[in-house]
Amino acid sequence: MNKEALISVIEKTIPYKRYGKVIRVVGLMIESEGPAANIGEVCYIHTSSDKGEPILAEVVGFQNEKIILMPYREVNEVGSGCLVEATGNPLNVKVGRSLIGHVLDPLGKPLLDGEALPKGLTGYQTERKPPNPLSRPTIRQPLQVGVRAIDGFLSMGIGQRVGLFAGSGVGKSTLLGMIARNSNADVNIIALIGERGREVREFIEHDLGEEGLKKSIIVAATSDQPALMRIRGAYTATAISEYFREQGFNVNLMMDSVTRVAMAQREIGLAVGEPPTTKGYTPSVFSILPKLLERAGTVENGSITGFYTVLVDGDDMNEPIADAVRGILDGHIVLDRKIAERGQYPAINVLKSISRVMNVITTDEHQQIATKLRTLLAVYEENNELISIGAYKKGTNPEVDLAVASYPNIVSFLKQGVYEQVSFEETVQMMKNLVQ
């Protein structure tokens, strides 16, 4: 390091530490008198019974000149008068290519006890601004997802952001695992937010598999962790994705699920005194969603293609979070429980789903074939009741006759085994064969 760089580091160094003290703990909140700190800044809470390790907490608000902190883990040893030390910095995590294949917690540390981080990593801030809208190249290249229903009917572009909307148990995690294994992206960053503890290992071993893990980094925040940790899981995964995008990679960012991020933010908002609005969600929920989701997308030398699952209550696609996320993203894929109940997996309802960039990234021939097959599906669905009870007579309507004849083949095309691999070109060729 040269002389000028050393002087710059010395000038930025704060020669003193700022302290405050804990005066009250209520529920999720720790109230402190001092130190001087900003929203989002990380502080250390020093306790005598914590084996010498301070507790990490984040500044989430202010009240009557008091600082409101939220810890990154459950704490029982914080008492009145504990010292609170300001760090002057927001949360930073260590990132680098050697993280590929690892499972991390929301603070960027290995989730497995006793495991050490690989060497050669660099510090990276988790709170970052979305790219300038005018610096984003337009989406022009298709992304091979490896799922026929998506590549054929809902073609995605490199740098697109799409939502997977479904109720519980319809196959969101399985679909994410298929995309992670079959996609032609360079690296997958997978954020498991609010998952059951049992499901993390299950997802890694069964849905993702050894092949998928070789090009993936997983950030897991289970449902038993504090709300702040669940939110940090989403931000940490997005920051790691941004690091790889800056290195020139095409990244798949998969977040399961955005709904649990919103629920965690609602917990924090209510704890700091925000008024509940739509279905109990606080205003901050609807302000952080676009800031988080807009961070994905294209830049000059790389891209982040976002897959965000949305857990819809009671299969209601118009509940507040689903409605807000659908308005921000570049498309939505609806997983239908009725389709799953009849054994068609992945249970994608192509008639209710849309990709907003498909017309830009696919050929005219591909679009015409997809439109024709979609029309046949729609005609069959409209007349399904008449066909089911035998009230429709063959020859009454040529279009319905064609839909009835084509329907089994279209459904067979949409069905796909969990470990069945298919390329984008093979999918388009199969669609041509269907039409012929």
Side-chain angles (χ1 to χ4, degrees), residues 129-137 245 294-300:
K129 291 182 180 178
N132 187 305
L134 295 181
S135 71
R136 293 176 182 262
R245 180 175 64 183
E294 284 290 343
R295 287 169 64 178
T298 56
V299 296
E300 289 297 334

Side-chain angles (χ1 to χ4, degrees), residues 211-290:
E211 183 184 343
L213 187 59
K214 285 179 182 176
K215 64 170 188 175
S216 303
I217 300 171
I218 298 172
V219 180
T222 51
S223 57
D224 60 299
Q225 292 184 294
L228 194 59
M229 281 290 267
R230 281 174 266 149
I231 290 176
R232 282 298 139 216
Y235 278 86
T236 296
T238 305
I240 295 172
S241 302
E242 288 170 325
Y243 168 81
F244 281 97
R245 180 175 64 183
E246 288 175 8
Q247 301 297 311
F249 287 81
N250 289 324
V251 183
N252 277 350
L253 170 61
M254 304 176 181
M255 192 174 294
D256 185 13
S257 69
V258 173
T259 307
R260 293 191 178 109
V261 176
M263 289 176 174
Q265 181 61 37
R266 176 173 64 182
E267 281 184 47
I268 293 173
L270 292 172
V272 298
E274 277 191 84
T277 52
T278 314
K279 276 200 173 181
Y281 288 103
T282 56
S284 63
V285 173
F286 300 100
S287 68
I288 71 156
L289 282 176

